[in-house]
Amino acid sequence: MNKINKLFTNSKDEKLLSLYFCAGCPTLDSTTDVILAMQRRGIAMIEVGIPFSDPLADGPVIQSAATKALKNGMTLKKLFGQLQSIKEQVHIPLVLMGYLNPILHYGIEAFCQSCVEAGVSGAIIPDLPFDDYLNVVKPVADRYDLRIIMLITPETSEERIRFIDDNTDGFIYMVSSASITGTQKSFDEQKKAYFRRIDAMHLRNPRMIGFGISNAQTLKAAQDNAAGAIIGSKFVTLLNETEGDTDAALDRLFEALNN
């Protein structure tokens, strides 16, 4: 069974925490250490960012991390090599998150094959058009048992959400707001109403809420209305501030999530 499906099947009564970081940042060779430290500290699922020069959906924190990773020499080929080197040690789902351009340049078939060889369970491609997903990417990904995760926002129609739910597997990434990534102190009533509205749809796929989660208040709002939460910008900031000391960054993150 795909590790993503296994995670949600085995943790129906748990509230999951998934973290994002950008491969190759703060250093080219830090990727594997970050992953292993997060796994050791109980993170349920890890999103590994593929650095790209024009990350349209990302705020300044993740844009800066991607720029630094590219300057460090990170490439998709190098990333797959790093992940393959720790494949036997990683037992939690790894999900690659990256934009379509470098994946197309690498080749869809080659990308899916390399994911499997490196122990990757899924991919999030924010700028992948859904028609292209259905007609081009999904048939290949399905052959490799790779989950392509789609995003929804407060502006996504109910019809579209149900169509996504019917044609994807793994989980649905609920973007908390139709804006770029970044931290928020709280979610307003409008965002909470959006969470409740999607929850009431009783979708087939579990949902994870991301964008803006950085403290106890935003974490609770996400976990109360979905299978769990995804944190990106806050963790990337802490990882940079601790100069790549993942344990120190996690200590500070867990402290923030309890306040």
Side-chain angles (χ1 to χ4, degrees), residues 54-87:
D54 192 21
L56 298 175
D58 293 311
V61 170
I62 293 178
Q63 285 188 21
S64 176
T67 298
K68 187 172 184 179
L70 291 172
K71 287 181 178 178
N72 287 341
M74 178 53 74
T75 65
L76 191 49
K77 184 177 180 179
K78 285 182 181 178
L79 173 57
F80 280 129
Q82 291 176 347
L83 296 180
Q84 194 164 1
S85 73
I86 57 168
K87 177 181 178 181

Side-chain angles (χ1 to χ4, degrees), residues 173-258:
Y173 191 133
M174 280 182 65
V175 176
S176 66
S177 60
S179 63
I180 59 175
T181 56
T183 62
Q184 298 178 36
K185 292 183 177 179
S186 64
F187 290 136
D188 58 27
E189 183 54 37
Q190 186 177 11
K191 289 186 179 67
K192 292 178 182 177
Y194 156 60
F195 297 162
R196 293 192 295 268
R197 174 171 61 86
I198 304 303
D199 193 31
M201 291 178 66
H202 302 293
L203 300 175
R204 178 179 59 85
N205 280 297
R207 305 170 318 282
M208 296 286 285
I209 296 177
F211 284 46
I213 299 168
S214 62
N215 56 23
Q217 188 174 356
T218 48
L219 177 67
K220 185 177 187 303
Q223 291 185 331
D224 282 351
N225 293 279
I230 299 168
I231 297 176
S233 296
K234 180 70 174 180
F235 180 68
V236 171
T237 297
L238 294 173
L239 196 59
N240 283 327
E241 289 178 354
T242 58
E243 298 180 344
D245 186 335
T246 310
D247 280 302
L250 288 170
D251 286 341
R252 291 177 58 183
L253 176 65
F254 293 151
E255 182 181 357
L257 295 178
N258 286 316

Side-chain angles (χ1 to χ4, degrees), residues 9-196:
T9 299
N10 293 342
S11 57
K12 288 183 178 178
D13 297 326
E14 298 177 33
K15 292 302 181 181
L16 304 176
L17 179 60
S18 176
L19 297 185
Y20 165 96
F21 79 103
C22 183
C25 181
T27 68
L28 177 62
D29 298 321
S30 62
T31 304
T32 54
D33 290 338
V34 174
I35 290 171
L36 293 175
M38 283 199 279
Q39 176 177 259
R40 176 168 43 80
R41 296 292 296 273
I43 301 305
M45 178 167 59
I46 300 173
E47 290 182 19
V48 184
I50 303 169
F52 182 51
S53 58
D54 192 21
L56 298 175
D58 293 311
V61 170
I62 293 178
Q63 285 188 21
S64 176
T67 298
K68 187 172 184 179
L70 291 172
K71 287 181 178 178
N72 287 341
M74 178 53 74
T75 65
L76 191 49
K77 184 177 180 179
K78 285 182 181 178
L79 173 57
F80 280 129
Q82 291 176 347
L83 296 180
Q84 194 164 1
S85 73
I86 57 168
K87 177 181 178 181
E88 301 306 319
Q89 301 174 62
V90 178
H91 311 297
I92 62 176
L94 298 181
V95 179
L96 294 189
M97 187 167 189
Y99 292 85
L100 187 57
N101 187 287
I103 295 173
L104 285 178
H105 188 263
Y106 194 87
I108 298 297
E109 181 94 28
F111 176 79
C112 293
Q113 181 175 345
S114 293
C115 280
V116 172
E117 292 172 350
V120 173
S121 300
I124 302 169
I125 311 172
D127 58 342
L128 173 63
F130 200 75
D131 286 347
D132 290 344
Y133 158 72
L134 283 177
N135 298 318
V136 179
V137 178
K138 186 178 186 298
V140 181
D142 285 350
R143 290 205 310 272
Y144 289 93
D145 196 33
L146 187 71
R147 304 290 177 261
I148 305 298
I149 308 303
M150 305 302 291
L151 291 80
I152 65 171
T153 75
E155 281 68 42
T156 308
S157 68
E158 180 173 335
E159 180 183 12
R160 182 73 165 184
I161 292 170
R162 293 203 181 279
F163 188 62
I164 289 172
D165 190 43
D166 288 341
N167 290 280
T168 61
D169 191 15
F171 69 95
I172 291 175
Y173 191 133
M174 280 182 65
V175 176
S176 66
S177 60
S179 63
I180 59 175
T181 56
T183 62
Q184 298 178 36
K185 292 183 177 179
S186 64
F187 290 136
D188 58 27
E189 183 54 37
Q190 186 177 11
K191 289 186 179 67
K192 292 178 182 177
Y194 156 60
F195 297 162
R196 293 192 295 268

